[in-house]
Amino acid sequence: MRILLTNDDGIHAPGIHALWRIFDDWADIFVVAPDTERSATGHGITVHQPLRVEKLSFANPHCHGWAVNGTPADCVKLAMEELLKEPPHIVISGINRGPNLGTDVLYSGTVSAAMEGVIYGVPSIAVSVTGWHTVDYTVAAETTRLLCEKLVARGLTPDTFLNVNVPDLPRERIGGIQVTKLGSRRYQNIFDKRTDPRGRTYYWMAGEVHDVDAGEGTDIQAVNAGAISVTPIHFDLTNYSLIQEVSDWLGRESSPFATKRKA
Amino acid sequence: MRILLTNDDGIHAPGIHALWRIFDDWADIFVVAPDTERSATGHGITVHQPLRVEKLSFANPHCHGWAVNGTPADCVKLAMEELLKEPPHIVISGINRGPNLGTDVLYSGTVSAAMEGVIYGVPSIAVSVTGWHTVDYTVAAETTRLLCEKLVARGLTPDTFLNVNVPDLPRERIGGIQVTKLGSRRYQNIFDKRTDPRGRTYYWMAGEVHDVDAGEGTDIQAVNAGAISVTPIHFDLTNYSLIQEVSDWLGRESSPFATKRKA
């Protein structure tokens, strides 16, 4: 087994080390991760400046690591195209410090790395713990290993990965695993407007989370109820249900370009 | 009418100016765009450094502009939360230089700004021309205006925006408008590996596009056939068809956490 690990908290973050340890006896581990924290980078890739890669050395001959001055998606691309001799059997991104629930997944570097994995046709998992401070990654690491074994044994359709959120609770209070859909959340009072010592305005983005849809079956509801949430996520963003409707309201007669095609 | 314009090519790019001109007589225009090019930023937001905003002045009292040292998604958030007194009736992102087709939309700053618009509940359009050089934005601007009028008159479900790609062809060779689904593309030979003057390796990300799915009904096929592609895109990434399957393969008996919940 070859496992590619990445994250958006940076290669020195404790979450990725917890993954490393749990898979140590099971697979060759390839860590390709950002050299510093890159959270909220979304699915950004680095095309306007060069990427640098630093090889790390490990005592364990089954561990290989590279730090990259790029985003999580850059890391997966570099791993697949340049750094690994053979493709991995699975890509795991995390363990992220903080939740990636509902609409959050659009902004998440952690999630984008798993999406990049399935774009390459490799089964992938993104995993986060919902706590921000003094986080215990043990349950999340064990859950990831369990899911990994299932994923390798059973497979998924090639365009879909699993987004996992583990509540920040003691093991004995974790309420099972629920397979969920994404809920919907927004942030309120997003900007903290300040004045710098020279009198100029600047803004910090922060904000309080507001759950627009935390209803039955959502990832948000599962985590709020103390369960581990597992959401199957795919990268086809087409809203198929609207293709006919938009076609109807465009109509042939309404388009200035509809009849101008030359054979 | 109030229209919010943004892009990822930067506030000085010709594509956004083409939009501005075409809506000039129809609406109050609010331009909130990155101060420099931010393409391929995906849905990144800026949370680790402060955002700065520079107000621009215009002769036309119906035009208002701000340059932001952030991503397209940052721009929409700042516009909605801080800069505009009232929300816009529509968000338009573009006109991007270069296509945003198929899997490209995941990496696109242009597309992420339109997605951010619908996250705020505002009807939104992302628009791109497929050419990279000596691009004529006239047809794309006229198409955007047509779609805008339709969108305002007819509406869409609140989670869905339109992703528009206009072929880089003379007007008389444009083959109508097709409502499409996203195709699928990958890039090959992505990294150009070089050595700097001090002997250290670096990588440029580039690559040649390879269309994995450019079949009937896709945006890629439409544009290749000379038509304008309009794809309805939503931000719910859940793969609903797999919720039951993943639930089955997880099963109650297989989870070490399934039965440990305390009441």
Side-chain angles (χ1 to χ4, degrees):
Chain A
M1 276 290 287
R2 290 181 300 278
I3 297 180
L4 172 61
L5 300 184
T6 191
N7 72 353
D8 74 357
D9 289 331
I11 199 160
H12 301 297
I16 200 166
H17 288 254
L19 285 180
W20 195 326
R21 281 191 301 274
I22 200 109
F23 287 111
D24 200 43
D25 62 329
W26 195 54
D28 284 342
I29 309 284
F30 300 85
V31 184
V32 185
D35 52 4
T36 58
E37 183 173 348
R38 303 278 174 146
S39 53
T41 51
H43 209 115
I45 52 175
T46 304
V47 298
H48 297 297
Q49 54 187 29
L51 288 167
R52 301 272 188 178
V53 175
E54 187 190 355
K55 180 93 175 83
L56 309 177
S57 15
F58 299 102
N60 182 339
H62 298 290
C63 287
H64 313 272
W66 296 265
V68 176
N69 68 336
T71 66
D74 292 336
C75 290
V76 174
K77 284 184 184 292
L78 272 167
M80 302 298 296
E81 305 266 341
E82 296 286 330
L83 303 176
L84 272 61
K85 291 199 182 77
E86 296 173 278
H89 296 95
I90 193 158
V91 174
I92 308 174
S93 179
I95 301 169
N96 191 63
R97 187 182 5 226
N100 279 305
L101 294 165
T103 321
D104 283 350
V105 302
L106 297 170
Y107 306 102
S108 165
T110 306
V111 170
S112 80
M115 195 174 285
E116 195 63 38
V118 290
I119 290 173
Y120 276 100
V122 179
S124 299
I125 297 176
V127 56
S128 309
V129 288
T130 64
W132 296 98
H133 307 291
T134 58
V135 161
D136 177 1
Y137 294 98
T138 322
V139 172
E142 289 173 21
T143 305
T144 309
R145 172 134 181 190
L146 168 78
L147 291 170
C148 231
E149 290 170 2
K150 293 279 179 192
L151 194 54
V152 169
R154 309 289 292 265
L156 272 185
T157 58
D159 70 342
T160 301
F161 65 94
L162 300 178
N163 184 47
V164 182
N165 281 273
V166 178
D168 188 25
L169 291 172
R171 174 186 301 267
E172 65 277 10
R173 289 183 55 210
I174 299 274
I177 302 182
Q178 288 182 24
V179 184
T180 58
K181 62 181 177 181
L182 292 171
S184 175
R185 49 187 8 187
R186 279 195 208 167
Y187 290 81
Q188 294 178 317
N189 304 315
I190 288 186
F191 291 101
D192 184 353
K193 186 175 178 179
R194 299 186 182 186
T195 305
D196 74 15
R198 286 174 292 165
R200 292 178 59 211
T201 299
Y202 63 100
Y203 299 89
W204 283 111
M205 195 185 296
E208 303 125 32
V209 74
H210 166 63
D211 288 331
V212 179
D213 176 13
E216 194 60 39
T218 64
D219 53 352
I220 302 170
Q221 187 271 339
V223 162
N224 286 347
I228 295 165
S229 166
V230 176
T231 312
I233 291 187
H234 60 170
F235 60 79
D236 182 355
L237 306 182
T238 310
N239 187 343
Y240 288 90
S241 67
L242 287 190
I243 289 181
Q244 191 54 52
E245 179 178 334
V246 176
S247 300
D248 291 346
W249 59 251
L250 280 175
R252 275 210 162 268
E253 71 292 357
S254 66
S255 165
F257 307 110
T259 55
K260 293 190 178 174
R261 185 103 190 269
K262 308 278 190 234
Chain B
M1 276 289 288
R2 290 181 300 279
I3 298 179
L4 172 61
L5 300 184
T6 191
N7 71 354
D8 74 356
D9 289 333
I11 199 159
H12 302 296
I16 200 166
H17 288 255
L19 284 180
W20 196 326
R21 282 192 299 275
I22 199 107
F23 287 111
D24 201 41
D25 62 329
W26 196 53
D28 285 342
I29 310 284
F30 300 84
V31 184
V32 185
D35 52 4
T36 58
E37 182 174 348
R38 303 279 174 146
S39 52
T41 51
H43 208 116
I45 52 175
T46 304
V47 297
H48 296 297
Q49 53 188 31
L51 288 166
R52 300 273 188 179
V53 175
E54 188 189 355
K55 180 95 175 82
L56 309 176
S57 15
F58 299 103
N60 182 338
H62 298 291
C63 288
H64 313 271
W66 295 266
V68 175
N69 68 336
T71 66
D74 291 336
C75 290
V76 174
K77 284 183 184 292
L78 271 167
M80 302 298 295
E81 305 267 341
E82 296 286 331
L83 303 175
L84 272 61
K85 291 200 184 73
E86 295 173 280
H89 296 94
I90 193 158
V91 174
I92 308 174
S93 179
I95 301 169
N96 191 64
R97 188 182 6 225
N100 279 307
L101 294 164
T103 321
D104 283 351
V105 303
L106 298 171
Y107 306 102
S108 165
T110 305
V111 171
S112 80
M115 195 175 283
E116 195 64 39
V118 290
I119 289 174
Y120 276 101
V122 179
S124 299
I125 297 176
V127 56
S128 308
V129 288
T130 63
W132 296 98
H133 307 292
T134 60
V135 161
D136 179 1
Y137 294 97
T138 322
V139 173
E142 289 173 22
T143 305
T144 309
R145 171 133 180 189
L146 169 78
L147 290 170
C148 231
E149 290 170 2
K150 292 280 179 190
L151 194 54
V152 170
R154 309 290 290 265
L156 273 185
T157 57
D159 70 341
T160 300
F161 65 94
L162 300 178
N163 184 47
V164 182
N165 281 273
V166 178
D168 188 25
L169 292 171
R171 172 185 304 268
E172 63 277 9
R173 290 183 54 211
I174 298 274
I177 301 181
Q178 288 182 24
V179 185
T180 57
K181 62 182 177 182
L182 292 171
S184 175
R185 50 190 4 187
R186 280 195 208 166
Y187 291 81
Q188 294 177 315
N189 305 316
I190 288 186
F191 291 101
D192 185 352
K193 186 176 178 178
R194 299 187 182 186
T195 305
D196 75 14
R198 286 174 291 163
R200 291 179 58 211
T201 300
Y202 64 99
Y203 299 89
W204 283 110
M205 195 185 295
E208 304 126 31
V209 73
H210 166 63
D211 289 331
V212 179
D213 175 14
E216 193 61 39
T218 63
D219 53 352
I220 301 170
Q221 188 272 340
V223 163
N224 286 348
I228 295 164
S229 167
V230 176
T231 313
I233 291 186
H234 61 169
F235 60 80
D236 182 356
L237 306 181
T238 310
N239 187 343
Y240 288 91
S241 66
L242 287 190
I243 289 181
Q244 191 54 51
E245 179 178 335
V246 176
S247 299
D248 290 348
W249 58 251
L250 279 176
R252 277 211 160 265
E253 71 292 359
S254 67
S255 165
F257 308 110
T259 54
K260 293 190 178 173
R261 185 100 189 271
K262 306 276 190 238

